[in-house]
Amino acid sequence: MEVSKLSLRFASRVIVVLAYILIFFLVLYLWISTPSAKEIKHSFNETKIVKETWKNKKKVVIYAATKFFNMDITTERFLSKCHSTKGYCRISEDPKDLDVADAILFHNADFSPEKVPMPRLRNRPHVIWSLESPAHDSFRPLKDVINWTMTYRLDADIWYPYGHFVRRKSPQQVDYEAIWAAKDQTKIATWLASNCFSQNRRFDLIKKLIDKGLPLDNWGRCGKTPPICEGVSNQGSPCVVDLIRPYKFYMSVENSNCLNYVTEKFYETLRSRMAVPIVLSRKFYRQLGAPDDAFIAIDDFKSLDELIFHVKKVAADKELYLKYHKWRETHEVKPEHDDTTGFCELCRRLQNSDLGSKSYADLAWWHGYNTCDQSIADRFLGPPTG
Ligand SMILES: *[C@@H]1O[C@H](CO)[C@@H](O)[C@H](O)[C@H]1NC(C)=O
Ligand SMILES: *[C@@H]1O[C@H](CO)[C@@H](O)[C@H](O)[C@H]1NC(C)=O
């Protein structure tokens, strides 16, 4: 009697302990197997994408119901990097193709309600595309017109970033000497911009940094005419690479600070210009999977003086400066047009037999000013006046 009671108590203890162990491993498993948002987005397995698409040879047509800032939306311009769907996906602007179209695409800035085909082809996804932040673009279509969004937002249905990071399969050697040799030792920081007035007061911040002693060459419409790249004040031109590459730092400050809004200024600084971006706020870049040591964030510092002291120190110290390039061993930056994102991803998505069923009831809110924080510079500039 006594013995069986004892062994019963012992058995129940064992069960409790086993249950704890089980729960522990369950939690551990869930924790390991649930990737964070940024991991989902940059763990693209390109071999897998290519193989899957190779099997799926369904031909798809995207009907462009609008222009792109009044320019044509063509297969040549937007699908040329889509190796995995080459020959199986095309864009058409010809209304005759509306009947065979697999999706209907609208570029937001060119959208008008008349562009939505009547009667609406309800069984084809209607896709809204925008590369602008909500500070400069409010989404126009009404309730339940749009099924999919195609933007830089991580949670867009089709992710269309200005660039993105991928982890290298194996570490790569970096030619640090070449990076250092490309730098002109008299050139520290630079900025090139065409939009000098923005609500986040980035230009005021740049002017204050110069006043406080940051050696910064300010090119473009907000500064001086560049010695090369005459008249070019946008980021796209190849001569911009030659203009910026000799500098150690580039002021990569966006015209607005909205969720996931990071433009080619940042990615191209790392990719083609081989410089270190100085950004306004770390959190925006961290969310996108940017390695922490690939850039300098102004909001890491207590004051602009401390930031300037740090930038000057790093610029003068080869070893310290090259540490900001160490991420290149493990990561690679992909450009805006890339087989894994944007239009190429839209093509692949349309090859699926099940497209699901969703639509946006409040698109204006989804892409709204509520996703922006324009007050980051206030900490360094004081509250805005006027
Ligand atoms: C990518 O997918 C292929 C095929 O599924 C697999 O063999 C390979 O290990 C994957 N690579 C990575 C880096 O996940
Ligand atoms: C698109 O939205 C409409 C309207 O809500 C809906 O009827 C249709 O099923 C949706 N299609 C897809 C592919 O999500």
Side-chain angles (χ1 to χ4, degrees):
M1 194 63 181
E2 208 54 36
V3 172
S4 76
K5 227 188 215 170
L6 233 137
S7 62
L8 204 69
R9 204 185 288 163
F10 177 73
S12 69
R13 281 214 183 133
V14 168
I15 288 170
V16 167
V17 169
L18 281 176
Y20 273 121
I21 292 173
L22 198 74
I23 289 168
F24 172 78
F25 278 106
L26 197 72
V27 169
L28 191 73
Y29 170 75
L30 285 177
W31 183 66
I32 289 170
S33 65
T34 312
S36 65
K38 73 177 189 199
E39 275 164 350
I40 291 172
K41 289 301 184 182
H42 69 120
S43 65
F44 288 117
N45 184 333
E46 291 179 35
T47 14
K48 213 162 151 187
I49 287 175
V50 173
K51 273 189 189 156
E52 272 169 17
T53 320
W54 185 73
K55 276 186 274 173
N56 194 346
K57 295 200 168 185
K58 187 188 166 199
K59 292 201 176 186
V60 297
V61 179
I62 298 164
Y63 175 73
T66 66
K67 297 283 175 192
F68 172 64
F69 296 117
N70 290 321
M71 291 177 283
D72 290 341
I73 304 180
T74 61
T75 304
E76 294 71 42
R77 176 159 181 198
F78 291 100
L79 301 185
S80 64
K81 300 278 156 55
C82 305
H83 308 297
S84 65
T85 56
K86 211 167 203 88
Y88 296 96
C89 187
R90 67 183 173 94
I91 304 173
S92 170
E93 295 186 311
D94 184 350
K96 278 190 239 120
D97 278 331
L98 201 49
D99 288 338
V100 298
D102 297 277
I104 297 160
L105 176 74
F106 308 94
H107 180 249
N108 183 58
D110 302 75
F111 181 89
S112 72
E114 298 80 54
K115 298 272 166 55
V116 182
M118 291 292 239
R120 269 183 45 218
L121 304 167
R122 287 223 151 219
N123 55 345
R124 332 254 171 104
H126 290 40
V127 185
I128 192 91
W129 167 37
S130 174
L131 291 169
E132 303 293 315
S133 89
H136 297 103
D137 193 30
S138 54
F139 270 13
R140 298 173 180 180
L142 295 174
K143 191 171 162 5
D144 290 322
V145 170
I146 294 301
N147 298 107
W148 296 351
T149 51
M150 183 162 83
T151 79
Y152 57 81
R153 276 263 294 272
L154 278 173
D155 58 350
D157 297 282
I158 311 290
W159 194 42
Y160 193 146
Y162 286 87
H164 65 106
F165 291 87
V166 289
R167 204 176 268 279
R168 294 186 188 280
K169 290 193 179 75
S170 55
Q172 171 166 304
Q173 285 213 334
V174 174
D175 190 347
Y176 292 107
E177 290 306 321
I179 296 173
W180 187 251
K183 302 298 163 194
D184 178 332
Q185 294 307 319
T186 66
K187 293 181 172 173
I188 310 286
T190 189
W191 188 49
L192 172 71
S194 51
N195 171 1
C196 316
F197 302 96
S198 53
Q199 220 159 6
N200 66 358
R201 303 200 286 160
R202 65 172 178 176
F203 191 25
D204 291 341
L205 191 68
I206 302 256
K207 282 188 284 195
K208 192 156 181 181
L209 282 168
I210 297 171
D211 285 351
K212 282 181 162 290
L214 181 70
L216 186 148
D217 285 332
N218 178 14
W219 305 118
R221 228 176 277 164
C222 315
K224 293 173 289 185
T225 306
I228 54 171
C229 257
E230 169 81 36
V232 176
S233 54
N234 62 41
Q235 304 278 332
S237 176
C239 66
V240 170
V241 175
D242 299 327
L243 177 71
I244 293 174
R245 211 202 305 251
Y247 290 88
K248 289 176 181 149
F249 303 95
Y250 182 76
M251 300 303 300
S252 185
V253 282
E254 302 297 345
N255 62 26
S256 48
N257 302 105
C258 306
L259 180 64
N260 301 155
Y261 184 65
V262 170
T263 64
E264 76 288 347
K265 298 166 190 60
F266 179 71
Y267 295 106
E268 289 308 314
T269 297
L270 297 166
R271 205 179 76 85
S272 51
R273 305 166 187 169
M274 304 297 279
V276 176
I278 298 178
V279 307
L280 203 46
S281 178
R282 180 165 297 274
K283 65 172 190 254
F284 288 88
Y285 302 82
R286 199 177 257 170
Q287 280 168 352
L288 289 166
D292 266 336
D293 55 359
F295 59 95
I296 288 176
I298 298 175
D299 74 347
D300 281 349
F301 296 87
K302 283 202 201 77
S303 67
L304 294 183
D305 294 318
E306 280 184 29
L307 166 79
I308 294 167
F309 180 82
H310 181 74
V311 169
K312 284 181 172 171
K313 187 174 96 177
V314 174
D317 184 330
K318 180 178 172 186
E319 199 181 325
L320 208 50
Y321 180 73
L322 291 173
K323 272 192 184 154
Y324 281 92
H325 292 270
K326 195 159 166 49
W327 63 273
R328 298 181 191 279
E329 294 179 9
T330 50
H331 289 75
E332 188 186 354
V333 180
K334 297 282 187 184
E336 176 178 334
H337 290 286
D338 171 64
D339 201 16
T340 59
T341 58
F343 272 96
C344 311
E345 172 63 8
L346 177 58
C347 287
R348 274 194 301 276
R349 200 72 68 90
L350 292 170
Q351 288 183 316
N352 289 342
S353 47
D354 182 11
L355 298 178
S357 176
K358 73 177 280 192
S359 56
Y360 285 82
D362 198 347
L363 200 60
W365 182 85
W366 187 84
H367 191 72
Y369 208 61
N370 52 296
T371 67
C372 305
D373 175 6
Q374 305 283 54
S375 69
I376 298 167
D378 294 357
R379 209 182 100 200
F380 302 101
L381 297 172
T385 51

